[in-house]
Amino acid sequence: MPNITVELLAGRSLEQRRAFARAVTDSAVEILGAREQDVRMVFTEITADVVANGGVLASEDASRAGVVAALAKD
């Protein structure tokens, strides 16, 4: 039984999470031979001020500003 944990910046829509869950489940069935009903996924939403990439908080990273802003308004 695959247990899959997904961390995403807060702001993804229900439709996006649903589509992602479907795609990952389909891949687990195909690649791992898991039964569809045994693929478990947990989404954890995080905010841009609690994750850092390359030592820079995502909320303060100019290269990520567009993504963070787009997610914040959804």
Side-chain angles (χ1 to χ4, degrees):
M1 170 189 332
N3 291 300
I4 302 165
T5 302
V6 180
E7 291 183 347
L8 293 170
L9 285 177
R12 305 290 181 183
S13 69
L14 178 61
E15 292 79 22
Q16 288 174 311
R17 290 191 310 271
R18 186 179 290 125
F20 186 86
R22 171 57 33 212
V24 172
T25 298
D26 290 347
S27 292
V29 169
E30 178 184 337
I31 296 166
L32 302 177
R35 296 185 319 161
E36 184 175 285
Q37 64 268 31
D38 291 337
V39 179
R40 180 175 182 262
M41 194 173 313
V42 175
F43 289 94
T44 302
E45 290 191 333
I46 56 176
T47 57
D49 60 340
V50 298
V51 63
N53 297 295
V56 179
L57 290 173
S59 60
E60 298 173 350
D61 185 346
S63 71
R64 297 177 190 283
V67 172
V68 172
L71 291 172
K73 70 178 185 176
D74 282 343

